[in-house]
Amino acid sequence: MRLSALLALAAIALPYSVAEAAQDPYSYAEPDRVRVRHVELDLALDFPARAIAGTVTLELDWRDAQALTLNLDTRELAIERVEALDDAGHAQALRYTLAAPDAELGSRLGIATPTQPARVRIAYRTAPAASGLQWLDQAQTADRQTPFLFSQSQSIHARSWIPLQDTPAVRFSYAARVRAAQGITVLMSALRQPAQGDVQSFSQPRPIPSYLMAIAAGALAEQAASPRTAVWAEPSQVQAAAREFSDIEPMMQTTEHLYGPYRWSRYDMLVLPPSFPFGGMENPQMTFLTPTVIAGDKSLVSVVAHELAHSWSGNLVTSATWRDIWLNEGFTTYVENRIVEAVYGKTQADEEFVVAAGELQHKLQSLSENQQRLAPAPREVGADDALTDVAYVKGAWFLRFLEARFGRAVFDAYLRDYFDHFAFQSITTEQMLAYLRANLVDKHPGKVGWDQVEQWVYAPGLPESATLPAVPAFTAIDTARAAFLEGTLGAAALPAKDWNTHEWLYFLDHLPEAPTLAQAQALDAAWQLSRSGNAEIGMRWLPRAIRAGDSAAWPAARTYMLRIGRMKLTLPVYRTFASTPAGLAYAEAAYRAHKAGYHPLTRQAIEKVLRKAHAQPEAIR
Ligand code: BES
Ligand code: ZN
């Protein structure tokens, strides 16, 4: 950002300095000195050894004539050789040091570069327990025939499988050649090139941040949904997946109509095994998805709308640091809801937003003031702590507020220009605000005060200007729920036969955290909630049934915990069990039996819950 813009923003009563916020504290890279602009990968997948091994060649853009070191991020990588390459491709060995690992950041790889080479090549090998990779035995896949590998780089795990500048502030194009055994299809966040023998090749010509580096490999089948989209999954899953995601082309056309052309050529989706730790991940040209979104009735496809929306908000215009992540997730949650509105109607879009808003309001009570800010004070949040409802829902709510004040036509045009203006750039909250002020707020005076914008972005909690759409079906559900809880309406008499998934989620979200045993048993008897195949319903119901003291729900909860590796869904069940000694013992036994099947991130998160329960039982809810 130019200094004048910085000074203009300094008038804002920030709880911290803007200059401090522009630094990425989660990377050892020094992008002001030297920047990676292109990456070439030449890798081999070694399934028996659970290792990726090969070379990465980094094309460098030197920005500081005095710079004599290239600092890269790594985590548990074995570095075998580092060399400089001249234009003719001649290699010259370089000296390097791999620093002692920091628990959060990993190890700084410091490469001595006395001559500022145009390219540096590193030969390396990943650790079997690399935090950004999961290696699955064939028994852990749906079809049980072939082992499986997938990566999850966001937030700072790309460094566990590629030595690079692992900060979203740096963007590079990439090309890859990956050797894999016969029968293994490799996919990456890039366009597939024709395979040659056992080498599969990829090309991503557009500059992307490192957290969008992605790879998956296994026995995979493809089913086209339109000329530019396809669904990939294990062969036995691909048909159900393609049916569930068949609206992808109308979703794309809607988004293009609103915000300009899709700029990444193809859009493909990959359904991963159940251990995938997130709902979805917006890897360019190849969204990764949890199988839990395949509910059979398209009720959870807003996850697909969300990952598609990232093709504009996040992948095209990217948050420069993890502290600015709401620029990715808040904008995306807003766009997601616009896609749902256009493809499935306003009622469904409103229902989904009101459910999310209710969850945010509940969650805010347990967050620190700093965590309640869209743009929190830097350094006080971990890089992986970004997945809170604040970045997503408060961020989207802020954009809904702007849309309501300026009107849809003006706001849609503004957002389209914003994506265009910052296309293929990584920006901070303050850069977004400077653009917002010049191109929306000051251009249409009298609609929104700048102090209101600052309150949304920098203050904790929710402003009074946060309003919600009226959802008549939800009002009726509130009435029915109240009557049920008062005992004037039996569980079987609830008018729930026609409730869609979102209406069920709304009903469940606003039940007491611990219903009475009689209430839980009556609801389960009437509506078989413990046996619901819909994972979002299970996540809301099972903890309540357990807290009600309904031990009949325990085996169902155990099955759920072992079936689902998506952290957002499985952790609430673990947390609930961990709140009583008997439940803790039960959850620990379940975890021990299934530990090997969980993703490294999920394992880490569950172990944290279990450890905390032992240390301070009263702190877990
Ligand atoms: N980019 C996120 C996933 C993510 C965020 C991974 C932060 C690691 C750190 C992805 O786009 C996402 O938001 N996924 C959501 C789904 C969505 C519909 C809210 C998820 O996984 O739950
Ligand atoms: Zn997202």
Side-chain angles (χ1 to χ4, degrees):
M1 183 163 23
R2 290 203 329 276
L3 190 62
S4 56
L6 273 176
L7 290 176
L9 284 160
I12 300 171
L14 286 183
Y16 47 83
S17 93
V18 169
E20 186 190 356
Q23 298 297 318
D24 182 348
Y26 300 103
S27 169
Y28 290 112
E30 299 169 305
D32 291 339
R33 301 198 151 167
V34 54
R35 248 168 226 237
V36 171
R37 64 167 170 231
H38 180 75
V39 167
E40 298 267 344
L41 291 164
D42 200 332
L43 302 174
L45 307 184
D46 185 345
F47 275 91
R50 301 195 155 198
I52 299 181
T55 65
V56 61
T57 306
L58 305 173
E59 240 176 74
L60 302 171
D61 180 8
W62 292 91
R63 305 202 158 196
D64 175 350
Q66 314 300 321
L68 295 175
T69 313
L70 170 64
N71 281 321
L72 300 176
D73 296 298
T74 75
R75 189 196 298 281
E76 292 190 86
L77 292 182
I79 304 297
E80 280 156 13
R81 188 174 73 242
V82 180
E83 53 203 19
L85 298 181
D86 66 18
D87 288 342
H90 294 130
Q92 193 197 349
L94 293 177
R95 286 187 303 117
Y96 63 90
T97 52
L98 194 59
D102 174 273
E104 211 179 346
L105 274 73
S107 298
R108 182 177 59 83
L109 174 61
I111 301 171
T113 49
T115 58
Q116 299 202 333
R119 288 183 296 161
V120 165
R121 176 168 297 163
I122 301 157
Y124 70 99
R125 185 179 180 83
T126 63
S131 62
L133 298 177
Q134 188 176 18
W135 299 87
L136 293 169
D137 294 333
Q138 57 194 63
Q140 296 167 312
T141 65
D143 293 356
R144 300 172 173 274
Q145 302 288 318
T146 314
F148 203 102
L149 162 70
F150 66 87
S151 67
Q152 170 55 41
S153 296
Q154 194 179 10
S155 299
I156 53 171
H157 301 285
R159 65 190 66 178
S160 76
W161 64 284
I162 312 172
L164 39 56
Q165 291 181 309
D166 198 9
T167 167
V170 172
R171 315 179 71 99
F172 50 80
S173 50
Y174 80 87
R177 293 160 42 84
V178 183
R179 235 170 300 271
Q182 231 202 331
I184 304 264
T185 299
V186 181
L187 299 174
M188 293 191 80
S189 51
L191 212 59
R192 266 156 63 85
Q193 318 284 76
Q196 286 177 308
D198 65 348
V199 177
Q200 301 180 49
S201 299
F202 303 86
S203 159
Q204 177 51 268
R206 299 164 191 87
I208 62 166
S210 58
Y211 75 87
L212 295 178
M213 293 299 296
I215 190 167
L220 291 167
E222 178 186 20
Q223 189 159 322
S226 79
R228 58 174 173 171
T229 68
V231 178
W232 290 86
E234 288 188 63
S236 69
Q237 314 283 301
V238 75
Q239 270 209 336
R243 234 179 290 123
E244 200 82 7
F245 307 143
S246 64
D247 296 324
I248 185 60
E249 186 55 45
M251 286 185 183
M252 286 182 81
Q253 287 176 17
T254 292
T255 326
E256 292 189 298
H257 175 72
L258 285 168
Y259 306 120
Y262 177 75
R263 303 211 203 191
W264 305 85
S265 72
R266 290 192 61 84
Y267 181 81
D268 294 327
M269 292 161 279
L270 168 64
V271 177
L272 289 135
S275 66
F276 185 62
F278 293 100
M281 180 64 214
E282 65 271 28
N283 299 131
Q285 305 190 282
M286 186 61 71
T287 279
F288 283 18
L289 292 166
T290 165
T292 62
V293 298
I294 306 175
D297 58 2
K298 298 190 178 179
S299 60
L300 304 178
V301 294
S302 61
V303 175
V304 173
H306 180 98
E307 306 314 335
L308 171 67
H310 273 305
S311 309
W312 286 260
S313 42
N315 297 4
L316 196 58
V317 182
T318 308
S319 54
T321 79
W322 298 113
R323 166 259 183 186
D324 302 298
I325 189 66
W326 77 277
L327 296 180
N328 285 8
E329 298 301 349
F331 278 60
T332 292
T333 301
Y334 172 83
V335 173
E336 162 200 337
N337 203 250
R338 293 294 302 272
I339 298 172
V340 169
E341 180 184 322
V343 178
Y344 301 102
K346 181 157 163 52
T347 303
Q348 182 168 336
D350 285 352
E351 289 192 350
E352 291 189 7
F353 191 77
V354 171
V355 165
E359 286 162 10
L360 168 67
Q361 281 163 320
H362 180 74
K363 201 71 67 62
L364 280 175
Q365 299 164 11
S366 59
L367 295 178
S368 72
E369 284 212 339
N370 191 47
Q371 288 172 316
Q372 296 178 28
R373 297 191 166 102
L374 277 183
R379 282 166 226 277
E380 286 175 36
V381 284
D384 268 346
D385 295 346
L387 209 65
T388 81
D389 290 350
V390 173
Y392 286 78
V393 185
K394 186 178 173 183
W397 211 334
F398 171 43
L399 300 196
R400 288 173 74 101
F401 160 75
L402 294 174
E403 181 202 313
R405 289 301 177 90
F406 291 99
R408 198 166 253 198
V410 169
F411 189 64
D412 287 357
Y414 165 78
L415 215 49
R416 187 187 176 113
D417 289 347
Y418 164 86
F419 291 133
D420 205 43
H421 181 79
F422 290 114
F424 298 111
Q425 293 182 45
S426 302
I427 64 169
T428 62
T429 297
E430 286 66 34
Q431 282 171 284
M432 187 284 282
L433 286 177
Y435 187 82
L436 176 75
R437 187 165 198 167
N439 296 284
L440 190 66
V441 176
D442 287 355
K443 262 200 189 146
H444 303 273
K447 305 264 194 222
V448 168
W450 193 248
D451 54 333
Q452 287 179 300
V453 170
E454 289 183 344
Q455 197 194 352
W456 271 102
V457 175
Y458 293 115
L462 279 169
E464 271 172 21
S465 50
T467 57
L468 285 176
V471 178
F474 284 5
T475 315
I477 289 172
D478 284 333
T479 309
R481 189 196 306 101
F484 167 72
L485 292 172
E486 276 165 22
T488 55
L489 187 70
L494 284 167
K497 249 227 213 33
D498 299 321
W499 287 353
N500 66 30
T501 297
H502 309 287
E503 290 159 359
W504 267 111
L505 302 187
Y506 183 75
F507 175 81
L508 294 172
D509 270 343
H510 298 275
L511 277 180
E513 298 277 314
T516 67
L517 179 58
Q519 286 166 344
Q521 287 173 332
L523 280 173
D524 223 359
W527 303 102
Q528 284 81 48
L529 294 169
S530 293
R531 270 187 280 143
S532 170
N534 188 300
E536 292 280 350
I537 289 179
M539 184 262 269
R540 288 158 177 87
W541 171 252
L542 293 167
R544 287 182 166 83
I546 296 165
R547 279 191 224 104
D550 186 0
S551 50
W554 283 30
R558 184 176 190 276
T559 306
Y560 183 93
M561 288 149 69
L562 303 193
R563 176 169 69 91
I564 296 175
R566 180 178 173 189
M567 292 191 283
K568 183 188 113 176
L569 298 180
T570 210
L571 285 172
V573 184
Y574 271 98
R575 255 184 234 120
T576 307
F577 273 129
S579 66
T580 64
L584 179 58
Y586 189 76
E588 276 180 323
Y591 177 64
R592 266 197 306 276
H594 190 67
K595 186 173 166 181
Y598 284 121
H599 188 276
L601 292 178
T602 310
R603 233 180 278 160
Q604 221 178 53
I606 294 173
E607 284 173 15
K608 197 168 148 194
V609 168
L610 299 176
R611 248 194 337 267
K612 198 162 152 196
H614 279 292
Q616 35 173 168
E618 71 290 349
I620 299 279
R621 279 187 303 142

